[in-house]
Amino acid sequence: MQNILVFCLLLLSVSLATSQSVIDPLTFLRCIVRQGSNPPDQTSEVTYIPTNSSFTTVLRRRIPNLRFDKPTTPKPLAVVTVKNWSQIGTALACSRELSVQVRIRSGGHDFEGLSYTSTVPFFVIDMFSFRSIDVNLTEGTAWVDSGATIGELYYRIAEKTNVFGFPAGLAPTLGVGGHFSGGGYGTMMRKYGLSVDNVVGSGIIDSNGNIYTDRVSMGEDLFWAVRGGGAASFGIVLGYRVRLVPVPERVTVFSVGKTVGEGALDLIMKWQSFAPSTDRNMFVKLKLTMVNGTKPGEKTVLASFVGMYLGGSSKTLNVMNRDFPELKLKKTDCTEMRWIDSVLFWAGYPIGTPTSVLLDTTVTNKLFMKRKSDYVKQPISRTGLDLILKKLVEVEKVEMNWNPYGGRMGEITSSRTPFPHRAGNLFNIEYLIDWSEAGDAVEKDYLSRAREMHGFMTPYVSSNPREAYLNYRDLDIGSGGNSTTYEGGKVYGAKYFKDNFERLVNIKSIYDEINFWRNEQSIPVRK
């Protein structure tokens, strides 16, 4: 009886609240109760507002970046942990009625926190419960909901077969919804391309709650846009149907590190020509990290060559001795394992860790983080490399990952998906800086170091535009605020998407002409 009374009071007060334009958590909850009442869909039961004792836990469970988990970080009016399509429709109805922005969170790995923060009133639709994965070996495909992690996808594939896998990222807790919609690359991209190059179907909900359950109902333009163009600009992606790729029963991994004093400079010079052109079954990432030198107080750079070959150790050594003999890779450096175990290796787990760890979606070891990116189209000279290594020591604390392209990446046209960084790129650079100390002054210092290193690299990377990778989200390259214009959007859009930006704008203008789906780096409409 008490619940019925509360329900009635909520319904009676909602019209007054909305007429006075009061946008607060209780107003939002009232709307959810009313919109979800006919027929009843229990959306209110999965809506958490700040006065709910579970609100903070639900909000924080997928916030890996402590930069956006501070007391001063703007909090949503609510987190709606939707469990079915109807509940998504109810939440969107309240977004329209109250003019409240919606943010969509899958894994929460947006490096600028755009999936769970905003500077205007907003709420979060959390796709955490949309985690179904259906592997069909007969068709060689899998359907994966957007709230699942890539670790869960890897595990479910390996649960059924040792000879199929999927090309995606290295961090197992990455959410499928965000990772795929930005492109998605990993250790098999030189063999099979990006995640989106192996997506064959999808489903999406538009701002009016209309559900498009497959590629045919979506239409080819919208299907194209959500494969690398940032799906959050177009709707809520329900999931993706992916094509599985063959993997051998055994793969080989290795990691060899050399400091500058041990000849790293010459090895990096050779890596630039070797890594993008070698056998496409081979992927060798270069990681540059500042470390202590041999003398007290001395600092130097460690170059780590971390690789995987889709095959046994004998073939691995044959390829490396033929194409990169300077590294002097030995059999003792190599470890053979199943492809699924290599996923754990790349994620930093000790060899022998049970694969069931991939089912743990908890983000541990949370840190303050900043990422930036670049693309390199011409080999960097020896003089240039020497200066870069010295700058890393000077700046300190910034790490760099150089990820080789070539192979399949160079065969796919730049317009096939919104992700344009294809032929002509030798490698991608990821700038990483992480820290654990809290404080505005500390954060300002670390961010300035990342920006300084990025600025120093200007002569060595792409230009006009200086290209960037969407999944290494970086508001430094441009931001449209909460009302992105075409002119403002083009600043960052050309860097992420190059010529594909114009097609994305055209599609956005057709399918979301009111610019309902927007954030600081969304695709704008053409006006």
Side-chain angles (χ1 to χ4, degrees), residues 130-147:
F130 274 75
R131 288 162 55 199
S132 175
I133 299 171
D134 180 22
V135 178
N136 187 326
L137 293 183
T138 302
E139 295 181 356
T141 63
W143 171 268
V144 53
D145 282 352
S146 60

Side-chain angles (χ1 to χ4, degrees), residues 17 21-30 49-50 76-78 98 100 121:
S21 298
V22 177
I23 306 299
D24 58 31
L26 189 56
T27 299
F28 183 82
L29 181 59
R30 289 169 180 149
I49 62 174
L77 297 172
L98 302 177
V100 176

